[in-house]
Amino acid sequence: GYGFYLVGLPTLFGLPPLPSLVFAALAGMALLGLGAVIALRRHPETIKPEHLLALAATFLVLISPHYPWYYALAIPLLCRRLYLPLLWITLLVSGVYLESVDGLLGPYTRLIVYSAMFGGFAVLALWQWLRQAATEQDAPVG
């Protein structure tokens, strides 16, 4: 239902929510696709921290947990390798604590915080991906 941020997001634009089965299928394909990319790379016998970070970040964005402490699963992974988009999410999620009966930001706190979290995540992930692609393109072959 609307508990998943990406399911309810279209309603902000006057569109119907994403059907649960469609979301589940797309989320499953995203996780399976990412897992396949990681498993089918050149040296699948070595698991690098960035692979675990990619899976954890994708999982957290897809399920968008309601309780901020679920995002703590990213902290041990971030200790091994800094991934700015995931760090962004783990820092901004504390804003959800502002939501309460007498919350500072009012009834739309979760929407505001999640939009900032996941929007910032998307921007930072795209920036980091483009930066990495440019670095790999400039690297000498051999």
Side-chain angles (χ1 to χ4, degrees):
Y2 296 144
F4 295 99
Y5 177 76
L6 295 175
V7 171
L9 186 62
T11 62
L12 298 175
F13 305 102
L15 300 170
L18 193 62
S20 299
L21 286 176
V22 172
F23 173 74
L26 292 173
M29 288 189 315
L31 288 170
L32 281 171
L34 183 57
V37 166
I38 292 170
L40 298 174
R41 64 191 196 292
R42 282 193 178 171
H43 300 288
E45 65 279 356
T46 57
I47 297 175
K48 296 182 179 179
E50 52 265 23
H51 302 139
L52 300 174
L53 282 167
L55 286 168
T58 302
F59 179 73
L60 284 174
V61 169
L62 288 172
I63 66 165
S64 56
H66 288 284
Y67 300 108
W69 54 82
Y70 284 110
Y71 294 86
L73 79 86
I75 295 171
L77 298 172
L78 289 168
C79 290
R80 291 272 301 163
R81 176 120 174 145
L82 180 62
Y83 182 56
L84 197 54
L86 192 55
L87 179 62
W88 174 265
I89 286 178
T90 58
L91 293 175
L92 259 64
V93 75
S94 60
V96 172
Y97 284 116
L98 297 174
E99 181 182 56
S100 66
V101 175
D102 298 323
L104 298 175
L105 298 179
Y108 298 105
T109 300
R110 186 172 304 272
L111 175 65
I112 293 166
V113 171
Y114 276 28
S115 295
M117 280 172 43
F118 299 131
F121 173 85
V123 168
L124 289 170
L126 179 62
W127 172 76
Q128 191 160 343
W129 180 73
L130 290 172
R131 197 175 112 213
Q132 182 179 351
T135 303
E136 289 174 0
Q137 187 177 19
D138 293 340
V141 177

